[in-house]
Amino acid sequence: MADTTARQAQATIHAGGEWLAGISGATREILDPADARPFAVVAEGDEKDAERAVAAARQAFDHGPWPHTPVAERAALLRRAADLLVRDREELGLLESRDAGKTVEEGRIDIDCVADAFRYFADLVAAEAPGRVVDAGSPDIHSVVVHEPVGVCALITPWNYPLLQASWKIAPALAAGNTFVIKPSEITPMTTVALIELLAEAGLPAGVANLVTGPGHTVGARLAEHPDVDLVSFTGGLASGTKVAQAAAPTVKKVALELGGKNPNVVFADACATEEGFDTAVDQALNAAFIHSGQVCSAGARLIVEESIRDRFVAELARRARKIRLGRGTADGVECGPLVSEQQRAKVEAYVASALAEGAVLRCGGKRPEPGEDRPESGYFYEPTVLDACHREMKVVREEVFGPLLTVETFRTEEEAVLLANDTEYGLAGAVWTTDPGKARRVAGRLRHGTVWINDFHPYLPQAEWGGFGRSGTGRELGPAGLAEYREAKHVYQNLAPKPVRWFAG
Ligand code: NAD
């Protein structure tokens, strides 16, 4: 893999097959969240860079070969890209760790998942029938519904899973025959830059994949409103997603939004009736809340536990949370990295303060850790925090924090558990823990969330749709619906024996 961190002249903008510096010449340092030191410099693109990239994508869509490339060839290219990702897994995993602060092992797993997404969408398109013949009721009519690429796609991605979120958009967009401009988060662009290089190496024609590094309010906003963009697919927070939808509305482009979550993890007492069950439910609650320092859209940030087991459950959870090894993601034995930025840590600190002021009881964490050998003082570390005695009116329970912060609420009845779990404006994901299969199915059926886990937390499958109810977004990624987002349906109706209609007599 080419060393993207050493890319000359900060030429991290890719338009029409060329690597370019920003038109303004401005640059941005990319910081390692573990010590706040810069490890790369990228072009700070702006609206003009966005326009240049859209023009390249438009040209490649309207006049280039990709939209008409046979499906088998498009699928083969996606599979080559997956192979190159696997080839560069170590470097990319390390780069993701430095960019986003996660452990290198998490970075490697992300890259495996990225390769899986490319393979999944390659297999999906390769296995499809070219169109659906419709019975028009006459042998003289041939009627078929085909699915065509939507056109130029603007893809806007967040910083928590930089390459994974990008792949859930890029792979289906390419599989369907689109061209695109991607704008990664301004603070974690490095692996997306690397992926664009890999796509070129895999043989993608110039102009199909374009990239602009830079901020959301300039580059992202211009992409969302641009009249030559046919679709905008956005993953990020609710506030930015709302702005994207507003910016896209005047040009009536397709909009897909993958937004935040405030995800309930409902634990019934029966799930903890045995030692093994208790240990599993606690362990998974810990993982649900604290993996990647809680900076996960589907994090199980709300523990909703049956009152009879609350004390024991929370005590064990807090005991284990205190033992989580925080440190630089590249250091051996570290289990959890820092938050992505000072801004993100400040946000977490403000939520903890507000929760305590509203009556929450701190069981562990609630502060920055002591610096250590693998934990520089300048890094954005924050201790895993458990806040007990929370209730649904609290700000910390209602709003997405996106940090290592777990709130605890209790219930007495199944009805109350469902009510609490659904009491959120979001609806991304949720889990229910019980050994009673009937209860599991009943509760899962009533949860208003896009993914529901029964006796598990966090797994997703590329074959299964991912997305949210309510303000967690519109549209779906992954699965057949994740491909359909990038297509237009066209009905082609052919009259094999045309005759005059004679509606008008004259
Ligand atoms: P963010 O909304 O701040 O930024 C996301 C992206 O949007 C960035 O690239 C940013 O530059 C861009 N952006 C910001 N303002 C914009 C604007 N006005 N117009 C166009 N683009 C704009 O989100 P973030 O802090 O990077 O990521 C965290 C959020 O992402 C959380 O809310 C999390 O839940 C969400 N997320 C959701 C999913 C999902 O699958 N639903 C997955 C990952 C992250």
Side-chain angles (χ1 to χ4, degrees), residues 318-496:
R319 185 188 71 77
R320 290 200 48 195
R322 275 183 221 108
K323 292 171 74 174
I324 291 175
R325 293 194 52 195
L326 288 181
R328 186 189 286 283
T330 51
D332 281 347
V334 159
E335 295 174 321
C336 215
L339 296 181
V340 77
S341 65
E342 184 58 64
Q343 188 192 10
Q344 199 61 23
R345 182 168 62 176
K347 188 175 157 196
V348 172
E349 289 176 330
Y351 274 108
V352 171
S354 99
L356 296 178
E358 286 186 274
V361 176
L362 185 67
R363 296 284 178 218
C364 66
K367 59 180 171 51
R368 301 177 183 192
E370 292 298 319
E373 193 189 337
D374 295 326
R375 215 163 46 216
E377 192 163 11
S378 53
Y380 311 128
F381 297 98
Y382 196 80
E383 289 186 0
T385 299
V386 177
L387 290 167
D388 202 354
C390 292
H391 57 78
R392 49 208 269 236
E393 279 76 40
M394 287 177 169
K395 190 174 150 74
V396 73
V397 173
R398 306 215 67 80
E399 298 177 11
E400 184 186 47
V401 177
F402 225 56
L405 221 177
L406 177 68
T407 61
V408 182
E409 298 160 81
T410 55
F411 66 90
R412 289 190 184 159
T413 63
E414 185 179 316
E415 190 63 27
E416 200 186 349
V418 171
L419 190 118
L420 288 176
N422 282 339
D423 187 20
T424 167
E425 63 179 347
Y426 293 108
L428 189 60
V432 50
W433 291 83
T434 176
T435 51
D436 175 342
K439 194 194 283 179
R441 296 295 288 274
R442 276 195 310 275
V443 173
R446 293 180 66 193
L447 290 186
R448 301 280 300 157
H449 297 269
T451 295
V452 175
W453 294 289
I454 299 173
N455 298 333
D456 214 322
F457 210 103
H458 273 324
Y460 77 91
L461 302 171
Q463 310 92 296
E465 277 74 3
W466 177 267
F469 286 27
R471 293 189 190 169
S472 286
T474 58
R476 289 292 181 272
E477 297 199 301
L478 302 178
L483 178 64
E485 294 280 357
Y486 293 91
R487 285 176 159 169
E488 294 281 15
K490 181 189 277 180
H491 177 199
V492 181
Y493 177 106
Q494 185 178 13
N495 191 337
L496 302 168

Side-chain angles (χ1 to χ4, degrees), residues 157-159 183 186 216 220 234-237 240 259-260 297 400 402 466:
T157 51
W159 47 257
K183 192 210 86 63
E186 54 273 41
F234 171 90
T235 301
S240 318
L259 309 178
C297 53
E400 184 186 47
F402 225 56
W466 177 267

Side-chain angles (χ1 to χ4, degrees), residues 50-60 181 226 228:
E51 280 160 22
R52 185 168 61 176
V54 169
R58 187 80 258 166
Q59 170 75 17
V181 180
H226 202 296
D228 283 343

Side-chain angles (χ1 to χ4, degrees), residues 193-212:
V193 172
L195 176 62
I196 299 297
E197 290 189 328
L198 289 190
L199 290 174
E201 187 181 342
L204 193 66
V208 176
N210 304 278
L211 159 85
V212 184

Side-chain angles (χ1 to χ4, degrees), residues 135-174:
D135 182 358
S138 162
D140 292 339
I141 303 299
H142 181 252
S143 182
V144 62
V145 176
V146 293
H147 292 96
E148 298 189 348
V150 69
V152 173
C153 303
L155 313 176
I156 302 175
T157 51
W159 47 257
N160 61 332
Y161 286 88
L163 202 59
L164 188 60
Q165 297 302 331
S167 73
W168 290 9
K169 300 181 190 304
I170 290 177
L174 290 179

